[in-house]
Amino acid sequence: MDDAKASRAVELHIHGKTRLFDVDDPVLPDWVKDGALGSGGYPYKKKVKDEDYLKELAPLQAELVKVQFWLQATGKRVLSLFEGRDAAGKGGAIAATSAHMNPRLARAVALTKPTEREQGQWYFQRYVAQFPTAGEFVLFDRSWYNRAGVEPVMGFCTDEQYEHFLKQTPLIENIIVNEGIFFFKFYLDIGREMQLKRFHDRRFDPRAIWKLSSMDIAALGKWKDYSEKRDRMLKETHTDYAPWTVVRANDKRRARLNLIRHILMTLDYDGKDKAAVGEIDEKIVGSGPHFLS
């Protein structure tokens, strides 16, 4: 094992056992492969089949096009945040949601780390600049909630900044809702073995390797820290007016279907086909911090 490879091997403590995980080893360990889908208490033993997924997804995406026509006609606005651990499926969920909407009015926002100028601004300022105008549907791939997770875990903010954020955020989100914006907050939750499997998949897929960063590897040993920050974030910022919708996302397809259903069931848009929307799987989607307890 050369030095570069050795630096990527991480000793993990999982279910009372010490495991060595090397993302550069082309052979995925059996304990990851066999435990991935059921990790984190996931309630299903099988994933949704591809043909079933596509059959269910098409009418949901057609309903989202209706939503877009409704937004254009009324000038209403939708703002949706997608949060979760690395490899939770945020980008894929955003892509499935917006795939058939007019890209001029349905924007995905994925901000890079703040510039020197932005570091001197009010923390929320660069996010507010991306908020929807009349008729827009904006989807944030990560958001201001970086300060509730990755920043405190990785030491990118002070304890004082972290605590201030948790106190200030419900106030800001109250303003968003009172402004008349339809506001969704999704937390996509995955199990530990599933995250490892997805990292490994990215490592050996030349189309997706760009998604695996050094930050991902550095965070592998901080699962407990991220879990603690997740739990506190959900507890402190889940409100009646801006609730967290938690989605169990070990199966990306099942997660996307139910996430889109939640959006469609919440919005009172013209021409809604309730049969096409269907019913939400309550084993997959829940509200607030207690859903994961």
Side-chain angles (χ1 to χ4, degrees):
M1 184 181 293
D2 58 38
D3 291 341
K5 187 174 181 180
S7 68
R8 306 254 285 185
V10 182
E11 189 176 86
L12 305 174
H13 302 284
I14 301 179
H15 310 313
K17 296 182 179 180
T18 299
R19 305 280 197 179
L20 189 67
F21 179 75
D22 186 351
V23 75
D24 293 317
D25 187 338
V27 179
L28 182 67
D30 287 342
W31 62 270
V32 175
K33 180 172 58 177
D34 296 340
L37 184 60
S39 60
Y42 194 72
Y44 290 101
K45 295 182 179 180
K46 294 183 179 180
K47 295 181 179 181
V48 172
K49 294 180 179 179
D50 186 52
E51 58 269 28
D52 294 334
Y53 168 67
L54 295 175
K55 183 178 179 180
E56 291 187 52
L57 180 63
L60 296 177
Q61 291 176 325
E63 290 297 302
L64 286 167
V65 173
K66 293 180 185 179
V67 167
Q68 193 165 42
F69 281 126
W70 172 68
L71 293 177
Q72 290 177 264
T74 62
K76 295 183 184 298
R77 297 161 288 174
V78 174
L79 175 60
S80 184
L81 312 184
F82 292 74
E83 293 289 342
R85 299 180 195 267
D86 295 319
K90 301 178 290 297
I94 289 172
T97 302
S98 61
H100 294 279
M101 301 174 80
N102 183 342
R104 294 180 179 177
L105 295 170
R107 292 189 289 116
V109 177
L111 299 182
T112 58
K113 70 177 184 179
T115 64
E116 184 176 349
R117 175 178 174 79
E118 288 170 336
Q119 290 176 16
Q121 296 174 345
W122 175 48
Y123 178 73
F124 290 89
Q125 189 166 335
R126 71 190 191 121
Y127 297 104
V128 172
Q130 298 292 335
F131 279 16
T133 189
E136 274 196 322
F137 194 121
V138 174
L139 309 94
F140 274 85
D141 187 344
R142 294 197 180 278
S143 66
W144 48 90
Y145 280 101
N146 281 332
R147 182 144 291 180
V150 62
E151 289 191 20
V153 170
M154 302 304 294
F156 297 151
C157 70
T158 66
D159 290 343
E160 182 180 7
Q161 288 172 325
Y162 169 62
E163 295 294 339
H164 182 66
F165 172 84
L166 292 174
K167 292 178 181 178
Q168 191 176 34
T169 297
L171 304 176
I172 300 301
E173 293 179 351
N174 192 27
I175 293 173
I176 293 171
V177 175
N178 284 335
E179 177 61 21
I181 297 173
F182 290 97
F183 185 40
F184 295 94
K185 299 192 302 188
F186 292 109
Y187 185 86
L188 278 61
D189 192 70
I190 56 173
R192 196 171 193 186
E193 288 91 337
M194 179 55 75
Q195 185 187 53
L196 296 174
K197 181 182 182 301
R198 291 182 183 174
F199 281 173
H200 190 269
D201 290 345
R202 290 177 176 183
R203 170 64 181 84
F204 292 97
D205 184 345
R207 302 164 299 174
I209 194 170
W210 63 271
K211 295 181 180 181
L212 185 66
S213 69
S214 58
M215 185 68 67
D216 294 333
I217 304 303
L220 279 178
K222 297 182 180 293
W223 181 269
K224 182 179 179 181
D225 293 338
Y226 272 105
S227 295
E228 291 173 350
K229 292 297 186 294
R230 174 202 65 190
D231 293 347
R232 187 167 180 209
M233 176 191 78
L234 294 176
K235 178 181 178 182
E236 300 284 350
T237 62
H238 176 72
T239 60
D240 291 339
Y241 51 84
W244 277 105
T245 299
V246 180
V247 183
R248 296 189 186 276
N250 278 2
D251 180 355
K252 294 179 181 180
R253 295 166 181 165
R254 189 176 270 116
R256 293 168 189 168
L257 294 172
N258 283 280
L259 184 153
I260 294 172
R261 286 191 178 105
H262 176 79
I263 293 173
L264 295 172
M265 291 180 73
T266 302
L267 299 175
D268 189 20
Y269 57 95
D270 295 335
K272 180 186 290 190
D273 184 343
K274 293 184 179 179
V277 174
E279 298 294 330
I280 290 176
D281 186 340
E282 295 183 354
K283 293 181 181 179
I284 298 299
V285 176
S287 181
H290 301 298
F291 186 62
L292 296 177
S293 59

